Amino acid sequence: MLKQKAVMIGAGLANMAAAVYLIQEGHWKGDDITFYALDLNGSNDGSTASFAAEQYWNKNHPTDNTKGYIARGGRMLNYRTYVDLMDLLGRIPSVTEKGMTAAEDTIDFDEKHRTYDVARLLQGGKGIIDGHELGLNELDRALLTRLVMMPDEKEEKLDNISIGEYFKEDPHMFQTNFWYMWETTFAFRVESSAQELRRYMHQMIYEFTQIEHLVGVNRTRYNQYESIMMPLIEYLKGSGCHFVMDSRVTAFDFKDTPMQDEITVTGLEILNTRTDEMSHVNIDDQTAVFFTNGSITDSATLGDFNTPAPENMDYGAASTLWKQAAGHFYNLGNPDKFFNDRNASEWVSFTLTTDNHLLLNEITRITKQLPGNALNSFLSTEPITPLGQVDVNMSIVVHHQPHFTTQKPNETVLWGYFLYPRRHGEFVDKPYIKMTGKEMLQELIGQLSKVDPGPVNIKEKEEGIMGSVINCIPVYMPYASALFNNRAKVDRPKVIPDHSTNLAFTGEFVEQPYQMIFTEQSAVRSGEIAAFHFAGISDDHLVKTPRYDKDPRVLMKAAKRMFE
């Protein structure tokens, strides 16, 4: 059904992409597009800590130290797969590099700073592990091959089957270098969906041949807020789009129809989170509603150098609204599958800012690689899993410096995360989720000390490193891996649900043919699909998705690598 205006619930990447396509492909006026959102970050964030501390989720959890920078996360790009994202970035100007599009900016930076990780895995007593040895046995290969060869139309066979259940007769899988690298590259957990693992096996099959060095990874010049979100925001504001901030949409009004399956939004209830005032927005027949129905950064909270990040038990703004909608209609999915099991979805991460490069130089010495190349994951030396196996304790990403445009030349910013936050530290005897920023840094220094080749161990420089800290900010993210949670295919709504006249779902919690989630690719494509639908543009004009899983050469290379 063609529309002439749009209301966007959420101002993340998916809805901003939808707006760009409406303007450029649908020839809509920006003045006819209005965003209602809590913030402009989406999941592609990056800011000063003082700015982040003022945002919605942190207003009830103030911190004493708001110095330094914060990046709750940062997703790696891949041009070969992220075709819709690169199409989008090619349509908007960079905000930091004059005369370049945001795509040209990223490509230019990436060509000058190629990724080649030589210390992907590290372990005490061994140092840098040779990740080329995937460590797969015959059963591992057979089960992985079954995922790769499963056709799209058989995917429902993996409904409600976790990765742990899929490999229940093969615990050896979780002791392989392949698993250690795969889980920390893409953030899969044993509890995650085997169905989603299958999609990654299909769309990222070529990573078999390069996962130990991450040579397929592309990165933005700066943090993803400044390199991806800011160009979108500036373009959309310049095009006349309206942004109504500090707005939490709390309920949909739906049209009452005889069959009770026609989905037509007639109004929105909106809370102003600054004033606590409620307002109502009518949705007329000419208006489409684009709803990002879940966010992996909802309910995230900050700590500081001396304070752990508190747990926020809020169900989440976007998912609460999704649950209200799903209560009206049978075909809008099941948000509880994603937002009611924190054991499967929670992370803690940290962002460290220092006033010199002592730690940065020490990491460079120990890992033998320059900043910007690294995703370093530290393996335990003792069993730490329920199966009594070793696993990754923590991972760090050492950015190319500067990571922020306002970062001073003497400052270092790096990011790290704990995929299983209830596990205990090896050097700080408490769960990661209970650690202060200082204790997370102590844990990192301890992990580095175990793999330090010398001659002077980093532990001897701990006092100097601690003295350089501007801030180390822990972040609790209850839903960081929620999009991977175990599920059935019907647990996510379609971008355009059956019988919907004006409501589209966008983002990482929607069902799209073939697309894998936790990628800017899937977010952008959902917005593109929704925009084309309401602008009356044929799906034939969607960016073409490559199918590497159907390329015999790629499959042969992957098969060969599995047996090396």
Side-chain angles (χ1 to χ4, degrees):
M1 184 175 293
L2 298 182
K3 301 296 180 183
Q4 297 175 353
K5 296 180 291 183
V7 166
M8 305 288 184
I9 304 175
L13 180 60
N15 278 353
M16 289 193 185
V20 172
Y21 285 111
L22 286 172
I23 292 168
Q24 294 193 7
E25 297 296 325
H27 307 293
W28 287 25
K29 296 178 181 178
D31 187 54
D32 290 327
I33 301 172
T34 301
F35 289 82
Y36 293 95
L38 290 169
D39 58 53
L40 293 172
N41 291 347
S43 298
N44 298 75
D45 69 339
S47 70
T48 61
S50 57
F51 177 80
E54 295 297 318
Q55 294 183 349
Y56 176 70
W57 298 112
N58 298 300
K59 68 177 185 178
N60 294 324
H61 307 284
T63 55
D64 292 330
N65 184 351
T66 58
K67 298 177 182 178
Y69 294 91
I70 178 69
R72 291 172 292 189
R75 289 175 286 180
M76 295 178 285
L77 311 185
N78 190 301
Y79 300 154
R80 294 177 68 181
T81 304
Y82 292 20
V83 289
D84 293 80
L85 173 68
M86 296 311 294
D87 178 78
L88 175 68
L89 297 183
R91 295 169 177 266
I92 56 176
S94 168
V95 296
T96 62
E97 309 307 306
K98 290 185 178 180
M100 289 186 182
T101 66
E104 290 168 340
D105 173 11
T106 297
I107 292 168
D108 175 73
F109 173 77
D110 188 69
E111 287 179 345
K112 296 171 180 174
H113 304 87
R114 293 291 192 189
T115 299
Y116 192 83
D117 196 337
V118 299
R120 181 65 189 79
L121 297 174
L122 303 104
Q123 188 175 36
K126 297 180 180 178
I128 296 173
I129 292 176
D130 180 7
H132 188 80
E133 299 294 330
L134 298 182
L136 301 172
N137 66 19
E138 293 302 318
L139 184 55
D140 302 332
R141 296 184 187 107
L143 291 172
L144 286 172
T145 299
R146 187 186 302 172
L147 283 178
V148 173
M149 300 306 294
M150 182 181 288
D152 296 346
E153 61 270 16
K154 301 291 186 182
E155 191 176 45
E156 283 86 353
K157 288 185 175 181
L158 297 173
D159 277 359
N160 298 311
I161 295 177
S162 69
I163 294 173
E165 290 171 307
Y166 182 81
F167 290 102
K168 65 182 178 181
E169 304 300 329
D170 182 26
H172 176 267
M173 167 58 71
F174 304 115
Q175 300 175 89
T176 64
N177 288 341
F178 171 81
W179 172 252
Y180 301 140
M181 292 187 287
W182 199 272
E183 70 171 330
T184 51
T185 299
F186 301 115
F188 279 101
R189 293 169 48 149
V190 174
E191 303 94 338
S192 301
S193 165
Q195 196 174 85
E196 194 61 40
L197 178 62
R198 173 205 166 268
R199 291 199 176 189
Y200 268 72
M201 289 288 120
H202 279 233
Q203 204 161 359
M204 303 293 286
I205 184 65
Y206 55 83
E207 283 296 338
F208 271 84
T209 62
Q210 58 194 32
I211 192 170
E212 76 272 22
H213 297 309
L214 298 178
V215 295
V217 167
N218 312 111
R219 302 185 189 275
T220 54
R221 190 179 303 271
Y222 299 107
N223 63 86
Q224 290 179 347
Y225 178 72
E226 292 187 276
S227 290
I228 294 178
M229 299 306 290
M230 277 300 298
L232 285 165
I233 293 165
E234 293 300 311
Y235 172 82
L236 293 173
K237 286 183 175 180
S239 298
C241 295
H242 304 282
F243 289 85
V244 184
M245 304 312 299
D246 304 312
S247 296
R248 178 172 181 171
V249 179
T250 59
F252 291 105
D253 295 334
F254 291 106
K255 181 180 178 180
D256 189 15
T257 61
M259 292 297 292
Q260 298 184 355
D261 61 358
E262 177 190 310
I263 304 172
T264 300
V265 179
T266 60
L268 304 174
E269 297 291 332
I270 302 177
L271 171 69
N272 183 308
T273 59
R274 293 289 180 185
T275 65
D276 289 330
E277 295 176 341
M278 295 295 301
S279 61
H280 184 273
V281 172
N282 291 319
I283 303 297
D284 61 30
D285 291 340
Q286 301 302 312
T287 300
V289 178
F290 293 68
F291 170 37
T292 300
N293 59 310
S295 171
I296 61 175
T297 51
D298 267 2
S299 307
T301 48
L302 310 179
D304 60 28
F305 189 64
N306 294 307
T307 311
E311 289 190 57
N312 181 349
M313 302 309 295
D314 193 301
Y315 189 78
S319 48
T320 297
L321 183 60
W322 177 16
K323 192 166 187 175
Q324 188 257 351
H328 281 77
F329 303 100
Y330 61 83
N331 63 336
L332 298 187
N334 182 3
D336 280 352
K337 282 287 191 75
F338 306 95
F339 295 93
N340 208 31
D341 184 6
R342 292 187 174 200
N343 180 60
S345 65
E346 65 184 0
W347 288 13
V348 286
S349 70
F350 64 92
T351 310
L352 173 68
T353 309
T354 63
D355 65 10
N356 63 38
H357 302 310
L358 174 59
L359 177 59
L360 185 72
N361 291 335
E362 286 295 291
I363 294 174
T364 297
R365 175 180 63 81
I366 293 168
T367 63
K368 298 179 171 59
Q369 58 194 15
L370 295 174
N373 283 297
L375 169 56
N376 305 127
S377 296
F378 298 89
L379 282 169
S380 67
T381 53
E382 300 292 333
I384 57 175
T385 74
L387 293 176
Q389 298 174 341
V390 302
D391 198 11
V392 174
N393 280 314
M394 68 183 298
S395 299
I396 58 171
V397 174
V398 183
H399 306 292
H400 181 272
Q401 306 293 314
H403 193 51
F404 293 85
T405 57
T406 57
Q407 191 176 326
K408 296 176 181 177
N410 59 298
E411 292 177 341
T412 288
V413 175
L414 63 85
W415 178 80
Y417 74 96
F418 305 91
L419 194 56
Y420 291 88
R422 305 285 171 174
R423 290 178 180 170
H424 274 244
E426 286 191 292
F427 296 87
V428 178
D429 187 20
K430 61 173 62 175
Y432 302 125
I433 196 172
K434 301 294 184 182
M435 289 186 187
T436 65
K438 178 181 180 179
E439 290 166 336
M440 290 182 177
L441 177 55
Q442 289 173 328
E443 183 69 23
L444 171 59
I445 293 171
Q447 294 294 333
L448 288 165
S449 72
K450 289 174 60 177
V451 297
D452 191 337
V456 179
N457 192 280
I458 189 174
K459 265 287 189 180
E460 297 187 29
K461 302 178 183 179
E462 183 168 3
E463 183 177 350
I465 293 169
M466 286 295 175
S468 73
V469 174
I470 294 172
N471 207 351
C472 187
I473 302 172
V475 182
Y476 174 61
M477 297 182 290
Y479 307 124
S481 286
L483 33 65
F484 285 125
N485 277 19
N486 195 15
R487 59 154 196 277
K489 199 166 183 177
V490 297
D491 287 327
R492 300 187 300 197
K494 297 177 182 177
V495 176
I496 307 296
D498 295 342
H499 313 297
S500 174
T501 67
N502 68 344
L503 177 62
F505 288 77
T506 64
E508 305 280 23
F509 294 89
V510 299
E511 183 59 39
Q512 302 181 66
Y514 181 62
Q515 296 295 323
M516 61 185 186
I517 44 73
F518 207 17
T519 64
E520 292 88 346
Q521 163 66 16
S522 59
V524 171
R525 191 169 185 84
S526 68
E528 183 186 359
I529 291 170
F532 281 24
H533 177 81
F534 289 120
I537 302 170
S538 170
D539 285 353
D540 292 340
H541 291 85
L542 292 169
V543 177
K544 303 304 179 186
T545 298
R547 291 296 302 249
Y548 298 110
D549 59 324
K550 297 184 183 298
D551 185 330
R553 293 169 299 178
V554 173
L555 290 173
M556 287 296 294
K557 288 180 180 179
K560 180 182 177 182
R561 181 64 199 281
M562 279 200 289
F563 284 88
E564 289 181 356

